Amino acid sequence: MPHWSVYTGDSEPHDGVDRLPPPPPWRAFDGEPVLPTPRDADDEAAVSPDRVHRARTYVAAPESVQLVNAALVLRRPLLVTGPPGTGKSSLAYAVARELRLGPVLRWNITSRSTLSDGLYQYDPLSRLYAARQAAAWRAGASRGELPGAGASRGDLPGAGTSRGDLPGAGAANEASAAGADGVEDHLRLGPLGTALLPYDRPRVLLVDEIDKSDLDLPNDLLNVLEEGQYEIPELMRAARHSADAATAEVLADGTDTPVPVTRGRVRCRAFPFVVLTSNGEREFPPAFLRRCVRLKLRRPDHEQLTEIVRAHLATPPGEADHLITRFLNRAADGELATDQLLNALYLTGVAGLDPASRDALADELMPYLTPTADTDGF
């Protein structure tokens, strides 16, 4: 049996996920048809450089490595809690890069987020508009004329292409106007819905700041994450009324490439690596917690901060050590984030300040995130 640990935390991409042990019998899924995992996050042109940088420079603690592997093997979500700036969301990007799991699917949670937002978005108004346009086109065609024919005939200079003069354009325009667009043309899968497609490798889904959600969202997630599947009623109705609509080509989150959905049902094959982040602003129900592997990130110590700084910046060791110590001393009296230390190191490094001015600027860049006894709350 292969070793159960596939994520190492050393940031070097590899195909170790193919050696992942089989899932527990109660966490095995068999979605069809099998889809290839998109290209690696580093090679994906749509991925922003800052996210690629975060993935490359993430410094994982031994506990994080162990619990990431536990979540991967058990096919369970990883609930990551901890103070701001401890790398909760960066962990998802680091795992996706090292295990070559494709671009991270990100769902940013607000108090208005609902389960349907994460699964898919359907625009019935655009479909209604398309249907009306198709009806108007058919009525015009039956009379030997088209609505708005003056513009469509190209009476304006340069309007030839709107008339369908390009090869094949006439047929395409006719099909569209005749109402060939189906439900799937007005529907797009969300990040959660995309992560649960039957990919051959697990996709990485980041559900960021779930503690900001409405009270019902964690419980609403339970069934979907437990069953690894969901239904799209609009596609199910279309499939019942027409055999031609049994399989719909639907756009997935973050791409313009459609994926097949059969009879409106989506079931995963490789359960996604789901990272749920929380700043600890609320408690979660026991039923939700018992279905998650839980990782609590703590404020990094001097050694860990040195590794983080080394990964992000080419700062002289002596100067970095001085500001790291200053950061830790200030953090003893209030809430600070690692990002603030990196900002201070970068700016004081490029500014070329004397030590006194450097320390004063660093203190200005590292204000407490929460009110303390010696502040006015700002």
Side-chain angles (χ1 to χ4, degrees):
M1 181 176 178
H3 192 276
W4 73 282
S5 179
V6 296
Y7 172 64
T8 66
D10 64 8
S11 79
E12 288 300 322
H14 59 82
D15 294 310
V17 72
D18 294 333
R19 302 189 301 272
L20 195 67
W26 56 90
R27 298 297 294 165
F29 304 97
D30 57 359
E32 295 281 355
V34 182
L35 303 176
T37 302
R39 292 183 303 167
D40 295 339
D42 276 0
D43 299 329
E44 188 69 31
V47 177
S48 58
D50 65 307
R51 293 183 179 179
V52 174
H53 174 79
R54 288 161 60 188
R56 288 174 173 168
T57 58
Y58 184 78
V59 178
E63 181 185 13
S64 299
V65 173
Q66 184 178 46
L67 291 179
V68 164
N69 282 293
L72 286 166
V73 172
L74 295 173
R75 277 67 170 182
R76 289 290 186 185
L78 181 68
L79 176 61
V80 185
T81 60
T86 49
K88 297 186 294 296
S89 58
S90 296
L91 175 61
Y93 292 96
V95 173
R97 179 178 183 273
E98 182 181 323
L99 298 182
R100 293 177 174 161
L101 300 180
V104 173
L105 299 162
R106 182 164 185 153
W107 184 15
N108 295 312
I109 301 299
T110 71
S111 60
R112 298 181 299 277
S113 298
T114 64
L115 179 63
S116 60
D117 295 332
L119 291 176
Y120 68 95
Q121 298 86 42
Y122 172 60
D123 188 351
L125 293 180
S126 69
R127 191 180 182 212
L128 177 61
Y129 177 79
R132 288 178 174 174
Q133 291 290 96
W137 189 93
R138 287 193 295 268
S142 67
R143 297 193 301 269
E145 59 185 25
L146 297 179
S152 65
R153 285 198 305 269
D155 292 345
L156 297 177
T161 55
S162 68
R163 191 175 62 239
D165 292 344
L166 295 178
N173 290 343
E174 180 177 350
S176 177
D181 289 352
V183 175
E184 65 271 22
D185 296 294
H186 308 276
L187 187 149
R188 177 185 283 272
L189 300 183
L192 173 60
T194 300
L196 290 172
L197 288 168
Y199 288 109
D200 56 357
R201 286 183 170 186
R203 294 296 304 272
V204 177
L205 170 65
L206 172 60
V207 184
D208 207 21
E209 298 189 330
I210 191 172
D211 52 333
K212 286 186 166 60
S213 72
D214 178 85
L215 292 175
D216 293 330
L217 182 59
N219 282 327
D220 291 342
L221 280 170
L222 286 181
N223 185 61
V224 172
L225 295 179
E226 189 68 16
E227 300 298 327
Q229 63 185 17
Y230 64 97
E231 296 178 344
I232 303 176
E234 293 83 358
L235 295 181
M236 296 178 71
R237 285 194 293 269
R240 286 198 301 269
H241 290 111
S242 171
D244 295 335
T247 298
E249 296 289 327
V250 180
L251 292 179
D253 183 68
T255 179
D256 292 327
T257 302
V259 294
V261 174
T262 302
R263 298 194 174 277
R265 295 182 176 90
V266 176
R267 180 174 172 83
C268 72
R269 189 172 190 87
F271 187 78
F273 177 61
V274 183
V275 177
L276 307 150
T277 72
S278 168
N279 291 325
E281 296 180 2
R282 59 174 284 195
E283 295 291 330
F284 296 104
F288 176 79
L289 293 175
R290 72 180 180 85
R291 289 173 169 86
C292 299
V293 174
R294 299 163 68 180
L295 168 63
K296 184 174 182 179
L297 297 181
R298 294 171 176 81
R299 185 70 59 200
D301 58 21
H302 196 288
E303 181 179 353
Q304 292 171 318
L305 285 174
T306 301
E307 291 184 25
I308 292 171
V309 169
R310 185 182 298 116
H312 284 272
L313 300 168
T315 305
E319 181 177 323
D321 185 73
H322 173 78
L323 286 184
I324 289 172
T325 300
R326 195 174 187 87
F327 173 83
L328 290 172
N329 289 337
R330 286 179 57 79
D333 297 323
E335 190 72 38
L336 293 176
T338 308
D339 310 60
Q340 295 170 288
L341 171 63
L342 294 175
N343 289 337
L345 281 167
Y346 179 78
L347 187 56
T348 57
V350 300
L353 303 174
D354 60 82
S357 299
R358 179 197 61 197
D359 291 350
L361 178 58
D363 289 347
E364 290 294 329
L365 293 171
M366 297 188 295
Y368 296 117
L369 301 179
T370 55
T372 60
D374 59 350
T375 68
D376 56 6
F378 293 96

